Amino acid sequence: MKLKATALVLAALAMAGCTEDVATAPSAASGEKVVLKVSHFWPATAMAQKKVLEPWCQTIEQQSQGQMVCQFYPAMQLGGTPQQLFDQVMDGVADIVFSLPGNNAGRFPSMEVMELPFLTRDAESSSRVAWQIYEEFGQKDFANLKPLAFNVHDRGQFHNNVRPITKIEDLKGLKLRAPTRLTNKMLEAYGATPVSLPLPSLTDSLSKGVVDGYVLPWEVVPTLKLHEMTKYHSEINEPDPVLYSTLFTIAMNKQRYNSLPDNLKKIIDDNSGADFSASIGKAWDDELAPARAHAVDNGNAINTIDSAEVKRFEEAAKKVESDWISEMNAKGYDGQAMVNRAKELVAAAAK
């Protein structure tokens, strides 16, 4: 009898353990309050939280009549590094993350097309394109996630402490911090020395002369008080295409999404996709002028690289594109088709 009872207890425990393994995400019955853990690497005061994530969360809370709410974990408060955010959301540590696919080089290759030099225009229209590229080419790469939006930032520009940049030759020998793999390759093509640094380390590295400068959109500059320690800013402006872009995504744990009742899934779906992506890009575009004003007010030198010289920059960067196409082809993607389609969509969206 004792043996039989022990066997029954062990069987029950085994079944309980099996149930835990299968239930990879908590379910939400209709009417039950759902708290979504939202994680990112920016400070809580950053634009990404204040003007993107918080308004989005307010919308889904209102539309769900308070049934679905967000709990924010800025500045990696759930632990780990920015490079681990996608693992954290897939493992259920977070329900939603806002991060850069480029932080995991080679993991999401299809969307890297949006980071090619001189591909994008304004952030709003190009972010809408990014969502369409995902729908046409990127769903396999993100099969284990539920993407909610893709976006690019406002125009990436040159910033340094050595000299104004008016032509390619001015970049020769400069040590510049670059944010992405493709931006590193672009800087190498111009004769600069790319330096890979985590963004929070840039301020200290610039003050100590570890780097001469950096390539960044204006929006980031005052956030890190970089305008206070930078002498020269060199811009490529409209109607010329953008020097470079970095791609971001807001992604949700797929099991968490699937566990939601249909009415809450619909709210998530109604507030995801191309329109949400474009609105994030617009938030970045809107920050360009006020962020740039900090450098103007500080008396920094700002120059525009003329269109004739921009053509030389574009020509020198073509190798970055051709090499990327070859890399994608080797991975089983049609790299040329992806580039062609991205350029076609960008041109149409910018009209």
Side-chain angles (χ1 to χ4, degrees):
M1 289 291 291
K2 288 182 179 179
L3 288 172
K4 186 174 181 181
T6 302
L8 288 170
V9 170
L10 291 173
L13 289 171
M15 288 179 67
C18 182
T19 302
E20 274 190 18
D21 289 339
V22 171
T24 55
S27 60
S30 181
E32 181 183 338
K33 190 166 187 176
V34 174
V35 179
L36 299 174
K37 295 178 291 183
V38 181
S39 179
H40 59 83
F41 58 83
W42 287 281
T45 55
M47 187 206 73
Q49 178 164 322
K50 290 298 180 184
K51 297 189 177 181
V52 175
L53 293 171
E54 288 183 12
W56 184 84
C57 286
Q58 289 166 5
T59 297
I60 66 168
E61 181 176 355
Q62 290 168 0
Q63 292 184 4
S64 67
Q65 297 181 331
Q67 186 182 353
M68 190 161 48
V69 298
C70 294
Q71 186 169 348
F72 293 101
Y73 295 89
M76 301 305 299
Q77 288 180 1
L78 292 177
T81 67
Q83 289 76 17
Q84 295 172 319
L85 278 168
F86 290 115
D87 288 324
Q88 289 181 353
V89 74
M90 283 191 284
D91 293 342
V93 175
D95 296 313
I96 295 173
V97 296
F98 196 177
S99 190
L100 296 79
N103 273 346
N104 302 108
R107 191 172 187 176
F108 308 104
S110 57
M111 296 305 297
E112 198 177 38
V113 67
M114 296 303 301
E115 296 183 338
L116 286 170
F118 298 101
L119 176 78
T120 62
R121 296 284 175 169
D122 62 277
E124 181 178 1
S125 66
S126 295
S127 295
R128 186 178 294 277
V129 169
W131 182 265
Q132 192 160 347
I133 291 294
Y134 157 68
E135 289 192 316
E136 294 184 20
F137 299 100
Q139 294 196 45
K140 180 181 176 182
D141 288 351
F142 289 86
N144 295 321
L145 290 164
K146 166 74 175 172
L148 306 181
F150 289 93
N151 75 278
V152 296
H153 53 59
D154 56 286
R155 286 178 164 261
Q157 308 286 14
F158 294 114
H159 315 266
N160 85 100
N161 281 327
V162 178
R163 53 183 169 263
I165 296 167
T166 61
K167 56 187 183 301
I168 291 177
E169 288 76 13
D170 293 329
L171 285 159
K172 188 172 179 59
L174 292 184
K175 295 176 294 182
L176 300 178
R177 187 265 179 186
T180 70
R181 186 179 79 93
L182 295 184
T183 315
N184 282 336
K185 290 179 176 292
M186 179 190 74
L187 291 176
E188 287 176 346
Y190 298 154
T193 300
V195 180
S196 294
L197 289 170
L199 188 58
S201 303
L202 177 56
T203 303
D204 187 55
S205 297
L206 189 65
S207 68
K208 293 178 178 177
V210 175
V211 294
D212 300 314
Y214 49 94
V215 286
L216 277 178
W218 278 112
E219 181 270 330
V220 181
V221 172
T223 302
L224 298 178
K225 299 188 182 302
L226 294 170
H227 60 286
E228 296 178 2
M229 54 186 67
T230 305
K231 295 179 181 177
Y232 307 107
H233 309 274
S234 302
E235 300 178 314
I236 293 175
N237 292 322
E238 293 181 318
D240 293 314
V242 174
L243 172 66
Y244 86 94
S245 291
T246 301
L247 181 78
F248 299 84
T249 186
I250 299 176
M252 185 172 184
N253 177 283
K254 201 167 187 178
Q255 289 75 28
R256 183 64 159 144
Y257 170 81
N258 288 335
S259 76
L260 298 175
D262 289 344
N263 66 311
L264 297 189
K265 284 181 186 174
K266 185 176 187 303
I267 291 171
I268 295 288
D269 291 341
D270 288 348
N271 292 283
S272 302
D275 288 345
F276 183 30
S277 299
S279 73
I280 302 171
K282 185 179 186 303
W284 250 275
D285 284 336
D286 290 346
E287 287 296 306
L288 192 160
R292 184 182 185 276
H294 287 274
V296 174
D297 293 343
N298 201 53
N300 299 357
I302 302 176
N303 68 282
T304 299
I305 301 172
D306 67 52
S307 293
E309 192 62 29
V310 171
K311 296 295 183 186
R312 294 186 64 219
F313 278 91
E314 288 188 72
E315 189 64 30
K318 282 185 177 178
K319 188 176 187 306
V320 178
E321 179 182 302
S322 61
D323 286 350
W324 186 84
I325 290 170
S326 297
E327 287 178 20
M328 292 302 104
N329 291 344
K331 292 180 179 180
Y333 298 83
D334 189 338
Q336 188 66 63
M338 293 162 72
V339 170
N340 291 348
R341 183 60 171 151
K343 288 181 177 179
E344 175 188 11
L345 291 170
V346 166
K351 290 179 180 177

